[in-house]
Amino acid sequence: MKFSVYQISRQGGRERNEDRMGYAYTRESGLFVLADGMGGHPEGAMAAQLALQTFSAYFQKAANPTVREVPEFLSSALMAAHHQIIRYAAEKGMLDTPRTTLVAAVMERNHVHWVHCGDSRLYVVRHGEMLTRTRDHSYMEQQQHLGRTTDHINRNILFTCLGSPAKPVFDLSGPVHLLQGDRVLLCSDGLWGTVSDEEITSELSKRPLEQAVPELVEMALKRGGPRCDNVTVLAMEWETADEFQSTRVSTEDIDDGVFASTIQSGIPDPSVEDMDDAAIEKSIAEINAAIRRTAERNS
C-alpha cells in the first residue's frame, strides 16, 4: 500500500485551534481522521482529541493487518469516541458536554470507506472532477437537498455531533475503488465555508498535494478575514503498486504486525509494535485515567 499524504491546521482568527487530525497505518490498512471541536460548548479541543485517540486505539486493535469488517469498525469506533466524551464530561461533573464533529476514512484493499458525523467533510477527486463528497448533518444542507430556500438558515447549526446527550447520527459510505492518482481530502468547515467545491476540486487536480493543500488553506484564511474559523485539512493521494512516483508513505517498508500513527502525539511516530487485546484495553484505561486526572486538577 502506497500513498502520499499532507496535513495542515491553522488557527485563523479564533482564540484557540480546536481542530485535530491524524493518520495511522499498518502494512495493509490506513486510517485517516479529522475532528472539529465545537465552539459554544466547553473543551471542544478535548472532545476532538478524545475522538482521535479512541479511533487510533480501535484501529490498532482491529487492523491485523487489515480491518475485517470496515463499516462495522467505523461505526463502533465512532460510538466509542462518543461515549469517551460523555464519560469525560461525567468525570468532570460538567453541566454541558464537550462536542465535536468527525470524519474518518479507512483505506485498504484498493478501496476507501468512510464515516462522518456533523459538517467536517470528505472529498474524493478523480481526473479533475469531484467523484463524491459527504453531505453535512446541518439544517442548511438538509433543506438544500430538499430543494428549499436556505437564505434564512445559519450554516453552522447542526442536528448531530459527538458528545451531545442525544445519540449521534452518522453516515457510512463506500466502498469506492481507488485508482492511481485519486485524491481524498478530509477538512473542517473552516475550509469549505469560504472555498467552493469547485475550487477545492480544481486545486487538488492541478497541483501536488504539498502545494494544493497550503494554497487552499491560505485561500480560506484570506477570505475568512480577521474572524476566520480554524482551517484544517488532511489529504491523501493513492498510488498503485506499478505506477507510484511521489510516495511519502510505503507500508511495504514495514513488517507484518507493526503499527504506526501520528495521532497520539500529533507528530509522526516511529513504528510501534502491535499490541494485543490486553495492551489495547490498558491503553483505553490510560485514556480514562488521564480524563480523571484532568477532572481532578480542574475541580
Side-chain angles (χ1 to χ4, degrees):
M1 186 173 71
K2 298 179 174 68
F3 58 89
S4 299
V5 62
Y6 194 93
Q7 56 185 6
I8 186 172
S9 186
R10 296 283 298 278
Q11 185 170 328
R14 299 297 173 90
E15 292 184 3
R16 61 185 63 86
N17 190 344
E18 297 189 314
D19 293 354
R20 296 292 184 271
M21 63 181 169
Y23 60 95
Y25 56 91
T26 65
R27 183 178 175 87
E28 297 182 30
S29 185
L31 169 72
F32 301 78
V33 192
L34 184 147
D36 179 356
M38 296 176 62
H41 301 279
E43 299 193 44
M46 177 60 77
Q49 185 64 30
L50 284 172
L52 261 68
Q53 289 176 336
T54 304
F55 262 81
S56 179
Y58 269 67
F59 180 73
Q60 189 166 358
K61 182 177 181 178
N64 295 309
T66 60
V67 177
R68 181 170 298 178
E69 298 291 341
V70 177
E72 288 78 358
F73 161 77
L74 289 170
S75 58
S76 296
L78 182 142
M79 289 305 302
H82 170 69
H83 290 304
Q84 287 282 16
I85 297 168
I86 294 295
R87 184 178 294 114
Y88 174 80
E91 291 280 354
K92 292 191 65 176
M94 301 174 72
L95 298 178
D96 190 14
T97 54
R99 306 181 191 193
T100 185
T101 68
L102 181 133
V103 58
V106 169
M107 300 173 191
E108 60 180 42
R109 305 184 186 96
N110 296 321
H111 289 81
V112 56
H113 297 74
W114 62 91
V115 65
H116 81 286
C117 178
D119 63 355
S120 290
R121 290 183 178 177
L122 179 144
Y123 292 79
V124 180
V125 174
R126 174 180 295 168
H127 302 323
E129 297 183 356
M130 184 177 72
L131 190 64
T132 186
R133 79 156 170 87
T134 52
R135 182 182 300 159
D136 308 328
H137 295 123
S138 68
Y139 289 103
M140 173 173 283
E141 185 108 331
Q142 185 183 63
Q143 294 304 303
Q144 286 177 340
H145 183 66
L146 295 173
R148 300 172 181 170
T149 180
T150 58
D151 295 341
H152 63 291
I153 299 177
N154 184 338
R155 73 166 180 84
N156 294 316
I157 299 177
L158 306 180
F159 59 79
T160 190
C161 62
L162 301 188
S164 169
K167 182 179 179 180
V169 175
F170 59 89
D171 288 335
L172 289 163
S173 304
V176 168
H177 182 252
L178 293 168
L179 303 180
Q180 168 69 23
D182 281 357
R183 294 183 172 186
V184 179
L185 179 143
L186 287 67
C187 67
S188 62
D189 66 327
L191 180 71
W192 63 258
T194 56
V195 182
S196 70
D197 290 355
E198 292 76 17
E199 290 170 317
I200 291 172
T201 300
S202 175
E203 284 296 325
L204 278 182
S205 301
K206 68 185 182 183
R207 303 175 188 266
L209 289 184
E210 60 269 25
Q211 296 175 14
V213 173
E215 180 65 24
L216 286 169
V217 170
E218 289 301 322
M219 193 183 303
L221 291 169
K222 183 177 180 179
R223 293 181 184 176
R227 302 183 65 181
C228 182
D229 196 358
N230 308 147
V231 183
T232 300
V233 179
L234 171 58
M236 184 278 301
E237 180 178 349
W238 185 257
E239 299 182 357
T240 56
D242 56 345
E243 296 188 48
F244 71 92
Q245 297 178 348
S246 59
T247 300
R248 289 177 178 268
V249 177
S250 175
T251 63
E252 293 180 1
D253 296 335
I254 63 177
D255 297 328
D256 289 336
V258 172
F259 169 87
S261 175
T262 70
I263 291 176
Q264 295 292 341
S265 64
I267 59 175
D269 284 339
S271 297
V272 179
E273 291 191 7
D274 188 36
M275 304 197 310
D276 58 19
D277 286 355
I280 290 294
E281 294 303 323
K282 179 181 178 182
S283 177
I284 293 173
E286 288 172 350
I287 292 174
N288 290 332
I291 290 172
R292 287 192 292 272
R293 287 194 297 271
T294 301
E296 290 168 358
R297 285 197 303 268
N298 294 338
S299 63

